[in-house]
Amino acid sequence: MIADSSSHSVFDRGQSLAAALYLAIVGYSVLAGIPVISTAWSELLGFSDIQVGRVAGADLGGLSAGAVLAALLVATVDRRWLLFFAIIAAVLTNLACLYWQSYSATLGLRFLAGMASGVITGIAVATLGGRAHAARAFNYLLFSFAFVQAGEMYLLPKLTMEQIYSLFAFSYLPGLLFLFWIPARPAPVLSAVVKGQSVPTTRGENVPRLVPWLCLLAMALTYVNIGAYWTYIELASADAGLDGDWVSGVLVWVSFFSVLGCLFATLLSDRFGLARPLLATLLLHAATAGMLIAGIDEPRFFISLYAFNFLWIFVDVYQMGSVANVDGNGRFASLMPAAQGLGQIVGPNLAASLLAWGAGYSGIFMMCALASLAAFAVYALAYLRLKQQAGGGAHGLEGAGA
């Protein structure tokens, strides 16, 4: 079924792009819907707010562990076999959640489900990162993600916990049909098509080895903010007494609004490069979380959520594009879900600990803002290091996002 073949023949074709996009989207599906999933764990399974943070952290931390595993194996093991076993594992662990719903069982099963998703996502993102126009491929991913996120925000609150788990389980199965479209091995040479001829790229040349690691660290810190905010924003709104139906509606429409963010971010990166827009975006992202420190009412919730989701897409467009531009062989691209997952396990768990210590939701949003400011500092260091190496050019981070 998935025997090795001339896999490089489809590497830069539309089939490979479509397959990688689908697998990445289903791999990120829990991340996309975590606010409403967190509410379901609370309301349908009776988990406390602290337990919700632990379970979310386990799921998204599993994503990180799986992506690390994928990064270790993706260059040496047939990617199709890795995907085959990961998809089967994702289906089985999600279905197991139907039958074992205690807190301890859910904690372990969600970590295993997240790990299977991480392998799938890591391979899919490595495939996107190995394309000649990697940054453009990541823009397609984020554009698709915005629609999927909106769909989850609308649909999941209408489902039972069993239906949610079943939806996640069966969403992986079509991926088995796409295995032939995923290259079994990485392409030996990154190339771009110029006037009908294939020519080598220079992406990642003369880049200090520290720079891609700093970019990944900044991504992890950014996702500490995103993980904590996205896990607790709906629970925080309920704690503040906001109308639940109104909040659900805002969550749906804010996800559609992020599509505009993706388009606008691409236009800005084409004009101004990646570094300066990303630095500005990280500061603004800190402000959107920080504005909730003093409390939540409808105007602040509305403004913060719309701005947060709009800028989240900005951050992902710029950070993924930056890693693609300084990554010569796709190795660091495959680690991006790991960096995101690391932030996602730290963020919800740190937020849960803050609640346990009595800091309340204000403490969570303060932590979110500080994490984004830390990401700003790390990314600024990477930019300065690359600029110094390039003699003032910093081409890897100034390059256009597509």
Side-chain angles (χ1 to χ4, degrees):
M1 174 185 172
I2 52 177
D4 193 6
S5 61
S6 181
S7 58
H8 302 321
S9 64
V10 298
F11 191 74
D12 260 334
R13 293 182 184 175
Q15 301 100 309
S16 173
L17 175 62
L21 287 174
Y22 179 83
L23 291 168
I25 285 297
V26 296
Y28 279 129
S29 58
V30 172
L31 166 61
I34 200 65
V36 291
I37 299 170
S38 295
T39 299
W41 283 328
S42 175
E43 295 181 352
L44 301 180
L45 297 185
F47 294 167
S48 69
D49 288 1
I50 295 171
Q51 289 175 328
V52 165
R54 303 298 186 210
V55 173
D59 202 320
L60 300 172
L63 179 78
S64 178
V68 170
L69 179 61
L72 294 174
L73 300 176
V74 74
T76 57
V77 179
D78 190 313
R79 296 180 180 187
R80 296 168 183 173
W81 281 112
L82 288 173
L83 284 169
F84 176 79
F85 289 115
I87 289 171
I88 296 301
V91 172
L92 293 178
T93 49
N94 275 285
L95 291 179
C97 290
L98 299 175
Y99 301 99
W100 292 282
Q101 296 189 351
S102 68
Y103 169 66
S104 58
T106 300
L107 193 67
L109 287 171
R110 293 321 302 169
F111 178 80
L112 294 175
M115 192 168 182
S117 295
V119 173
I120 295 167
T121 307
I123 293 172
V125 171
T127 302
L128 295 174
R131 296 177 64 84
H133 301 289
R136 184 179 302 167
F138 289 137
N139 283 356
Y140 294 150
L141 170 61
L142 295 169
F143 190 79
S144 303
F145 180 88
F147 283 99
V148 172
Q149 184 185 69
E152 290 192 29
M153 293 300 167
Y154 175 78
L155 177 62
L156 295 186
K158 303 177 183 297
L159 304 180
T160 66
M161 199 74 248
E162 290 77 10
Q163 289 171 331
I164 291 173
Y165 288 142
S166 298
L167 178 64
F168 285 139
F170 292 115
S171 68
Y172 288 100
L173 290 177
L176 294 174
L177 303 177
F178 302 149
L179 294 185
F180 277 123
W181 291 350
I182 296 294
R185 307 284 178 181
V189 178
L190 288 168
S191 61
V193 177
V194 180
K195 295 183 179 179
Q197 295 182 333
S198 181
V199 298
T201 69
T202 58
R203 193 171 78 218
E205 290 186 358
N206 301 318
V207 173
R209 294 188 63 182
L210 180 64
V211 168
W213 289 110
L214 288 174
C215 289
L216 290 173
L217 175 59
M219 184 176 287
L221 289 167
T222 300
Y223 269 80
V224 171
N225 172 17
I226 291 171
Y229 185 102
W230 207 231
T231 297
Y232 280 106
I233 185 60
E234 188 168 10
L235 292 173
S237 69
D239 182 73
L242 302 189
D243 180 74
D245 291 337
W246 179 79
V247 168
S248 296
V250 172
L251 284 168
V252 172
W253 288 107
V254 75
S255 301
F256 278 120
F257 188 66
S258 62
V259 175
L260 297 179
C262 189
L263 296 173
F264 192 45
T266 301
L267 292 175
L268 280 181
S269 66
D270 287 342
R271 181 175 178 85
F272 298 107
L274 295 166
R276 287 170 292 177
L278 175 55
L279 290 169
T281 301
L282 289 170
L283 290 177
L284 292 172
H285 216 208
T288 61
M291 68 183 295
L292 300 180
I293 294 173
I296 299 179
D297 55 23
E298 287 189 354
R300 274 184 287 190
F301 174 84
F302 185 86
I303 294 170
S304 175
L305 190 62
Y306 266 84
F308 186 91
N309 221 45
F310 186 78
L311 294 169
W312 177 0
I313 294 296
F314 269 56
V315 168
D316 274 352
V317 167
Y318 299 145
Q319 287 188 332
M320 287 183 163
S322 295
V323 172
N325 283 349
V326 299
D327 182 17
N329 58 18
R331 173 192 177 197
F332 291 99
S334 65
L335 286 172
M336 286 194 293
Q340 293 168 329
L342 178 62
Q344 295 266 16
I345 191 172
V346 172
N349 274 289
L350 185 54
S353 295
L354 289 171
L355 288 178
W357 296 333
Y361 290 109
S362 294
I364 290 177
F365 294 122
M366 179 178 293
M367 180 269 291
C368 290
L370 291 175
S372 199
L373 291 175
F376 169 87
V378 171
Y379 192 83
L381 177 62
Y383 173 67
L384 292 174
R385 181 71 182 88
L386 190 58
K387 188 174 182 179
Q388 181 184 40
Q389 178 75 14
H395 301 297
L397 299 184
E398 290 287 12

